[in-house]
Structure formats: structure tokens, C-alpha cells
Amino acid sequence: MTPYVAARRFSVTLFCNVVLAPFLFAQAGVLASLPGSARAVGLGGAGAAIVGDAGAIFTNPAGLATVHRVAWEASYESYPSGATLSTGAMALRVGRFDWGAGAAALGPSYSSADLLGVSGLVFRTGLVAIGASVKYDRENAPGGGARIDAWAGDAGLAIAVFDIMALGVSVQNLGGDLGAGLHLPRRTRAGFTLNYVDPQGSYRLLTTIEGQWPSGAAAQGSPFLMLGVEGGAVTHGLGLVGRVGYVGHSVATTASPFTAGGSLEVGRLHLDYAYRAEDALGGRHRMGLRWTP
């Protein structure tokens, strides 16, 4: 290792531990605002109108309505500071209802990590589905204070026209009083997803657009857009799907507005990957695994 490379690694690690990590964990409700899956990251963070994945429980519970039997997924991301982000979700169809649950952890170790747990129920009639979820958030108080926690809820609506298109709207973090004047950030999301080809065929081409309206513009940023494109080919159950996304910046950030990712398709199993460039970190990588029967 050359002196230049060693110095660069040391500088990045120092920045992550001394500058980035305190900033990341000094904000209330960070974990509740992060994308819940690698696929969502690859699509720019959009998820309000992405239906049929178990990870929809993190963005719009009504998106679980198109799960036919059982779906599950997990993702993992690590940071140079030593912190890791782990997520997991599952969904189950029971008659006209779909039940889903998810969990996420963010921190240097599970004993001190911020934790999020969510469970929701969806009812579908015709093309329209309504869903609601309840979540529990436990995190370290800003500034390294005592552990704080809160209960909150999400409400969502989805209109899914077969496999052609979907419209989704959700309101996140209803309630969420962490105490000491801190609250989980309220967020309204509205999205539209369109499949240009039959996703049951050999080709894939999908676009999604989503608007987000964080509450308290002074603290959380102004409304912004997210755009995502997904395309590829699958033959005899095997194939590759690529993704690109754009994230409108609502607050000052060193992260790139563009994301990229893809999936290796093996039947109903999807091996997901997503990447977003970060000036300080050099890049953030999210790995994921999905099962969508």
C-alpha cells in the first residue's frame, strides 16, 4: 500500500467516525427515513408505488396488496465508520388481506443500534387497496444521550391495475413522539409506476416517479422528486435487470443525486445490488435478496 493510499484511507475513516457518524446519529428518525430495500435504493429511493415486494411495508403498506402467497426480503449495507444497516421484511396473503412485518437496525453494533420494527395489514377490493401499519422506533438521543423510543403509524392507498401500472400514496410517521420535543419526521409520498411490457414475459421495462413532502420544511427540507427506471431480460427464469435512479435533493448533502443497481434473476429469487456515490465515502453499496412468488 502506497503512502498516498494509506493517507487517503485514514482521512476517509477519520471523516466517517468524527464527522459523518455523529451527524448521521444526531438526527431523530434517521432509520425511519432510509430506503428499506436494495431495489428501492437503485430506483432512487422511490417506493410508494412499487407493489408486490415485502419491502413495501417500509414505504406504503398498501403496496403489499399484490403479494399472492408469501414474499420476503433482506438487505445489508456497511459504512467505513463501522456502522451497518440491516433490513428484513416478509408478507403473507390471507384471503382479501395481506399481512406484513419488517425490521431494521442501524449502528456500530446491535446492542447499541437504532432499531425499527413495523407490522401492517392491507385490505384489497378490486383494484383498490388500503393499508395501515404500526411501528416502533428506538434510538439514541441526539448528542449521545439516553435511549429514546416512540410508537407511530403509516397509512397508505394503492391502485394496482394488474401488472400494468400502480398508483400509491402514503403518509408516514403519524404520531411518533420521541420525547424532549423530538418526533419521527412526518412524510407524505405519492408515486406512479408503469410497466411498458408484460413483466411475466421475457423483457422488463418499468419507470416510477415519486414526490415526497417532508413536514416542517425548515427542519426536514422542501418537497422533492425521485425518478427510477428498471429494465432487462429474463429467459427460462434466468436473467439480468438493471436500474438507475435520480434523487432530488431536499437538504444539503454530499451524496450524488444519481443511483444505480441491478438484479440477478433466478426464478422468483432476486439477488439485488445498489450503489450511490458519496463524496466523503467514495460510494455506498447495498446488497439485497428478495423472494416474490
Side-chain angles (χ1 to χ4, degrees), residues 9-185:
R9 286 190 177 181
F10 175 77
S11 298
V12 170
T13 302
L14 181 65
F15 179 89
C16 293
N17 283 281
V18 177
V19 179
L20 180 64
F23 174 77
L24 182 65
F25 297 105
Q27 303 177 79
V30 169
L31 184 55
S33 302
L34 294 175
S37 70
R39 186 187 185 197
V41 174
L43 291 171
I50 299 298
V51 299
D53 289 347
I57 192 66
F58 293 109
T59 53
N60 182 0
L64 299 176
T66 58
V67 172
H68 298 297
R69 298 181 184 87
V70 177
W72 56 264
E73 66 179 82
S75 73
Y76 178 82
E77 184 174 346
S78 63
Y79 304 92
S81 65
T84 61
L85 170 65
S86 302
T87 71
M90 67 168 295
L92 173 67
R93 182 70 175 267
V94 183
R96 287 183 174 270
F97 293 89
D98 285 272
W99 169 81
L106 172 67
S109 66
Y110 285 103
S111 61
S112 61
D114 290 353
L115 302 175
L116 176 70
V118 57
S119 180
L121 190 65
V122 184
F123 174 75
R124 182 176 183 180
T125 176
L127 303 178
V128 180
I130 55 175
S133 62
V134 60
K135 63 177 63 174
Y136 173 74
D137 179 88
R138 191 187 74 179
E139 58 188 70
N140 293 300
R147 301 282 278 178
I148 54 179
D149 59 4
W151 289 90
D154 295 351
L157 168 72
I159 301 174
V161 183
F162 305 106
D163 291 330
I164 302 173
M165 63 182 183
L167 173 69
V169 179
S170 66
V171 181
Q172 296 184 285
N173 301 324
L174 298 165
D177 184 2
L178 291 163
L182 300 173
H183 295 80
L184 294 180

